[in-house]
């Protein structure tokens, strides 16, 4: 059973929040400030079960969830106002819908469910709103009315669970390359194409390759706001969650290995390709990426999610809560595209519109 943690201000008994600007716990009412370290003792109950190396974890979900929660929902009582807090089985931090009291459901973060690390938020809600305005203003093909008529439906700071993978690999890639030389005389132009087989191999080490551990968050959305700077991660404490939302992982480490291996393979191949210089074209014809060892960690990374509505359609944006990197899709003004192409065919405009919406580049 999960116990509710709520961090109270010793001066006025209001609910404390983690303040991204000062990196301290702050009371929004009396503005008292407290070091996160001073609240460390409240996390001791989360350390009763030590967390083993990730590659040895087995049957974690089966031990934690035994079907006793109806319809995967849980009900908790707010210690501050007595109101009921309803959450799904993955919620780890939330707020009381009645009084706004920030709570952490400690049982969702104990034992093998307890993260190793957390990267605290560096940008607050106001910064996320400002980034949205800047992002929209920078996209020249967005409709002018979108800037004034889109409605911000929701903005939430969310700690997203990530699995971080370390791996040592032996990599070998064979390439087909060409070198093209051209020249001319008074009568003709000449082109000479030379063909080469190029081989590269090497040993590499990768650290903290992230894989999104939440099925609620699209992987492409999370990967688009990378990188996160792991050197700024700190040992996990529940105090960092106060004032934000958080979910425990619902995609296991074992199920995340496939994606981690794909990312490691792509990174290894890209690293070797960067050493193939002096050719006109380079194409990989075969590769062999062999992992020699590996281990993983579990961490919470900060993400701002913003949802807006424009002409009845919803648009989702995401911001890296540590670096401020911002991405999202926007509608495209057909009139502006038509002006750009000088009245080109509607078919061309439709294709550009589709590409812009898919990749969020316009």
């Amino acid at each position: 059973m999960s116990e509710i943690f709520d961090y109270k201000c010793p001066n006025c008994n209001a609910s404390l929040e983690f303040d991204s600007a000062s990196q301290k716990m702050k009371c929004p009412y009396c503005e008292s400030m407290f070091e996160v370290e001073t609240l460390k003792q409240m996390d001791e109950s989360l350390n009763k079960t030590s967390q083993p190396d990730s590659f040895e974890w087995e049957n974690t979900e089966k031990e934690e969830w035994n079907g006793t929660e109806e319809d995967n929902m849980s009900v908790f009582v707010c210690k501050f106002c007595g109101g009921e807090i309803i959450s799904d089985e993955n919620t780890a931090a939330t707020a009381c819908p009645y009084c706004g009291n920030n709570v952490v459901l400690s049982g969702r973060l104990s034992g093998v469910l307890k993260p190793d690390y957390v990267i605290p938020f560096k940008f607050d809600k106001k910064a996320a709103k400002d980034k949205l305005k800047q992002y929209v203003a920078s996209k020249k093909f967005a409709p002018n009315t979108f800037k004034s008529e889109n409605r911000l439906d929701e903005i939430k700071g969310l700690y997203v669970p990530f699995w971080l993978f370390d791996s040592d690999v032996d990599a070998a890639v064979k390439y087909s390359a060409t070198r093209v030389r051209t020249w001319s005389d008074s009568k003709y132009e000449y082109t000479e194409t030379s063909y080469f087989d190029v081989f590269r191999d090497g040993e590499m080490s990768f650290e903290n390759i992230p894989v999104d551990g939440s099925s609620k968050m699209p992987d492409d959305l999370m990967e688009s706001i990378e990188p996160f700077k792991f050197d700024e991660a700190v040992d996990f404490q529940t105090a960092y969650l106060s004032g934000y939302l958080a979910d425990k992982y619902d995609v296991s480490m074992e199920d995340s290995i496939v994606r981690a291996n794909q990312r490691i393979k792509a990174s290894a191949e890209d690293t070797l390709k960067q050493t193939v210089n002096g050719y006109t074209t380079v194409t990989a014809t075969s590769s062999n990426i062999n992992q020699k060892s590996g281990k993983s960690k579990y961490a919470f990374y900060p993400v701002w999610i913003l949802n807006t509505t424009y002409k009845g359609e919803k648009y989702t944006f995401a911001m890296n809560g540590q670096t401020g990197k911002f991405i999202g899709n926007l509608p495209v003004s057909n009139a502006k595209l038509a002006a750009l192409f000088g009245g080109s065919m509607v078919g061309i405009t439709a294709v550009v519109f589709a590409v812009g919406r898919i990749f969020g580049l316009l």
Side-chain angles (χ1 to χ4, degrees):
M1 179 179 292
S2 296
E3 177 188 355
I4 288 182
F5 272 179
D6 51 349
Y7 294 89
K8 295 299 184 183
C9 175
N11 298 325
C12 70
N13 204 39
S15 181
L16 294 176
E17 298 179 353
F18 178 74
D19 180 60
S20 59
S22 64
Q23 296 291 291
K24 296 180 181 181
M25 299 298 290
K26 181 179 180 180
C27 176
Y29 295 95
C30 69
E31 298 189 345
S32 299
M33 307 286 282
F34 304 91
E35 296 287 345
V36 173
E37 190 68 19
T38 64
L39 303 175
K40 190 173 183 179
Q41 63 270 24
M42 296 188 70
D43 283 352
E44 290 180 356
S45 62
L46 300 181
N47 298 321
K48 293 179 180 178
T49 304
S50 60
Q51 183 164 299
D53 290 340
S54 298
F55 280 93
E56 298 176 1
W57 295 357
E58 296 181 358
N59 300 321
T60 298
E61 286 89 348
K62 292 181 180 179
E63 294 175 2
E64 290 293 326
W65 304 108
N66 54 23
T68 59
E69 294 174 317
E70 295 184 4
D71 299 325
N72 297 322
M73 301 300 289
S74 301
V75 178
F76 302 90
V77 177
C78 176
K79 295 181 178 179
F80 192 72
C81 72
E84 289 187 342
I85 302 171
I86 301 175
S87 69
D88 67 22
E89 62 182 3
N90 298 313
T91 301
T94 185
C96 174
Y98 301 100
C99 67
N101 188 46
N102 301 309
V103 298
V104 178
L105 308 179
S106 62
R108 306 281 172 87
L109 299 171
S110 61
V112 293
L113 298 178
K114 176 179 177 291
D116 299 299
Y117 301 97
V118 59
I119 294 180
F121 274 87
K122 294 293 182 68
F123 290 86
D124 60 13
K125 182 180 293 187
K126 181 180 181 302
K129 290 181 179 179
D130 290 342
K131 282 284 186 177
L132 174 60
K133 294 178 182 178
Q134 296 170 13
Y135 184 78
V136 172
S138 69
K139 303 304 178 182
K140 60 183 179 180
F141 292 114
N144 292 332
T145 55
F146 183 87
K147 302 174 184 179
S148 58
E149 295 181 7
N150 80 91
R151 184 180 74 252
L152 184 59
D153 298 324
E154 180 184 38
I155 177 170
K156 57 185 179 181
L158 176 66
Y159 279 104
V160 177
F162 275 85
W163 295 105
L164 310 178
F165 292 89
D166 299 344
S167 183
D168 296 326
V169 301
D170 286 327
V173 182
K174 183 180 179 181
Y175 304 93
S176 175
T178 65
R179 186 175 294 142
V180 179
R181 185 170 68 96
T182 60
W183 70 95
S184 62
D185 57 23
S186 59
K187 293 184 178 181
Y188 303 101
E189 292 185 355
Y190 303 91
T191 299
E192 176 188 81
T193 302
S194 302
Y195 295 86
F196 303 87
D197 287 330
V198 182
F199 182 79
R200 293 287 189 272
D201 66 350
E203 297 181 353
M204 305 179 197
S205 294
F206 294 91
E207 294 184 348
N208 304 314
I209 300 295
V211 178
D212 172 18
S214 172
S215 62
K216 298 178 183 179
M217 307 303 294
D219 291 343
D220 56 349
L221 188 69
M222 293 298 95
E223 291 176 8
S224 295
I225 59 174
E226 293 178 9
F228 290 89
K229 301 176 182 178
F230 184 77
D231 58 354
E232 296 181 356
V234 297
D235 291 339
F236 177 78
Q237 291 187 47
T238 57
Y240 290 108
L241 308 187
S242 188
Y244 299 94
L245 303 177
D247 284 347
K248 76 174 185 65
Y249 70 85
D250 62 353
V251 180
S252 69
M253 180 275 299
E254 290 84 359
D255 290 338
S256 300
I257 288 177
V258 173
R259 180 56 184 155
N261 288 342
Q262 291 172 345
R263 302 198 73 184
I264 290 171
K265 180 177 184 294
S267 295
E269 291 174 343
D270 183 64
T271 299
L272 289 180
K273 188 174 182 179
Q274 292 179 25
T275 69
V276 184
N277 302 311
Y279 299 97
T280 306
T281 64
V282 177
T283 304
T285 57
S286 64
S287 68
N288 183 22
I289 311 298
N290 180 39
Q291 285 187 252
K292 297 186 293 184
S293 62
K295 60 182 181 179
S296 70
K297 300 181 286 290
Y298 178 39
F300 274 178
Y301 280 178
V303 178
W304 283 104
I305 299 294
L306 303 92
N307 292 307
T308 67
T309 300
Y310 175 69
K311 292 186 175 181
E313 188 171 353
K314 292 188 177 297
Y315 297 86
T316 298
F317 304 87
M319 187 179 92
N320 186 315
Q322 179 194 31
T323 67
K325 184 178 180 180
F326 197 99
I327 63 99
N329 65 325
L330 289 170
V332 174
S333 169
N334 288 339
K336 290 184 178 181
L337 286 177
L340 174 67
F341 290 105
S344 298
M345 291 186 302
V346 174
I348 296 178
T349 302
V351 171
V352 176
F353 176 86
V355 172
R357 286 297 309 279
I358 292 173
F359 294 100
L361 299 178
L362 301 176

